């Protein structure tokens, strides 16, 4: 859920979320994260995003928990602010790499409109097989609901440990540069690149 929160109300928004999500029992395997966009394209109006992750059954259970007097009070706290929902979308991971890696607070996402998922996914798998320097969590995912007018259908998400890790990402040697170039040449005829976003996790509840 992408949201716009005025800068002078960001701390109050995070406090309201913490008050609610710290006092409920989260379903097994489910997490809720509040993230702030650090780098974003000019046309992206959202400043933050609320990310719900986990198994389908758990997400459904969480939706049932998000009701009653406590949730109404939480909503009243949010309604007192000048925040607003900008967009709402859902998706799923198709290929995940380094799933056991420790997650950092920084992450970057690249978005595409993809015409041939099979070619794109195969190229991604080959790329990651060549990137031996990548030790962090990386995933290729598909947007299944809430697709934008730009047609964003797929994304690559890369988690990084720190701001320095974020700045130092990308190919680290000649074989990786060549693999990255091959990936770009392979997906160019069947996809349209739509941009990137860099985010910082404020807090995760799980």
């Amino acid at each position: 859920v992408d949201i716009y929160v005025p800068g002078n109300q960001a701390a109050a928004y995070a406090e309201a979320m913490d008050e609610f999500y710290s006092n409920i029992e989260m379903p097994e395997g489910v997490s809720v994260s509040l993230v702030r966009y650090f780098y974003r394209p000019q046309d992206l109006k959202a400043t933050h995003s609320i990310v719900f992750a986990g198994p389908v059954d758990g997400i459904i259970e969480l939706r049932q928990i998000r009701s009653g007097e406590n949730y109404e009070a939480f909503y009243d706290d949010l309604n007192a602010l000048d925040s607003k929902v900008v967009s709402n979308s859902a998706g799923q991971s198709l290929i995940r790499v380094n799933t056991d890696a420790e997650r950092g607070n920084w992450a970057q996402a690249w978005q595409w409109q993809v015409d041939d998922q099979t070619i794109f996914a195969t190229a991604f798998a080959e790329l990651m097989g060549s990137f031996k320097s990548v030790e962090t969590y990386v995933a290729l995912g598909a947007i299944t609901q809430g697709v934008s007018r730009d047609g964003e259908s797929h994304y690559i998400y890369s988690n990084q440990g720190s701001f320095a890790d974020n700045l130092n990402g990308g190919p680290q040697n000649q074989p990786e540069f060549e693999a990255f170039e091959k990936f770009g040449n392979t997906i160019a005829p069947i996809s349209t690149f739509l941009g990137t976003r860099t985010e910082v996790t404020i807090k995760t509840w799980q």
Side-chain angles (χ1 to χ4, degrees):
V1 181
D2 274 356
I3 55 176
Y4 166 78
V5 182
N8 62 347
Q9 296 181 354
Y13 196 100
E15 183 178 346
M17 286 199 62
D18 191 47
E19 177 67 23
F20 178 75
Y21 286 106
S22 292
N23 290 288
I24 64 172
E25 185 174 348
M26 297 290 284
E28 185 176 356
V30 172
S31 66
V32 179
S33 297
L34 175 64
V35 304
R36 174 174 64 90
Y37 289 130
F38 191 83
Y39 294 123
R40 57 190 173 120
Q42 185 177 9
D43 59 348
L44 179 62
K45 305 305 180 185
T47 57
H48 296 71
S49 185
I50 302 172
V51 182
F52 299 89
V56 173
D57 290 347
I59 296 295
I60 293 173
E61 183 180 346
L62 176 61
R63 187 174 182 84
Q64 295 170 343
I65 295 173
R66 294 167 65 222
S67 60
E69 293 183 2
N70 290 339
Y71 189 67
E72 290 177 2
F74 166 54
Y75 237 80
D76 287 342
D77 289 341
L78 296 186
N79 286 336
L81 305 175
D82 297 319
S83 60
K84 61 181 180 180
V85 174
V86 175
S87 65
N88 192 1
S89 61
Q92 64 182 42
S93 298
L94 303 176
I95 300 174
R96 300 190 298 163
V97 180
N98 299 329
T99 55
D100 294 331
E102 183 177 351
R103 306 293 175 90
N105 289 332
W106 288 78
Q108 188 170 4
W110 297 259
Q111 294 87 35
W112 281 268
Q113 185 274 318
V114 175
D115 296 324
D116 192 318
Q117 178 173 277
T118 300
I119 292 177
F120 196 99
T122 301
F124 171 77
E126 183 177 343
L127 172 68
M128 296 312 301
S130 300
F131 262 60
K132 304 303 182 183
S133 65
V134 175
E135 298 179 347
T136 56
Y137 175 75
V138 182
L140 167 65
I143 302 295
T144 56
Q145 300 182 63
V147 177
S148 69
R149 291 181 179 178
D150 292 331
E152 177 188 344
S153 60
H154 292 73
Y155 61 88
I156 293 176
Y157 172 91
S158 174
N159 180 265
Q160 289 118 14
S162 66
F163 183 47
D165 294 331
N166 175 262
L167 294 178
N168 291 325
Q172 301 296 310
N173 50 56
Q174 188 61 33
E176 292 184 355
F177 274 105
E178 293 174 358
F180 192 78
E181 182 178 14
K182 181 179 179 181
F183 172 73
N185 291 336
T186 301
I187 67 170
I190 53 92
S191 68
T192 301
F193 180 63
L194 300 177
T196 69
R197 295 184 297 225
T198 299
E199 61 190 45
V200 186
T201 299
I202 297 173
K203 187 166 184 177
T204 295
W205 298 269
Q206 54 189 9

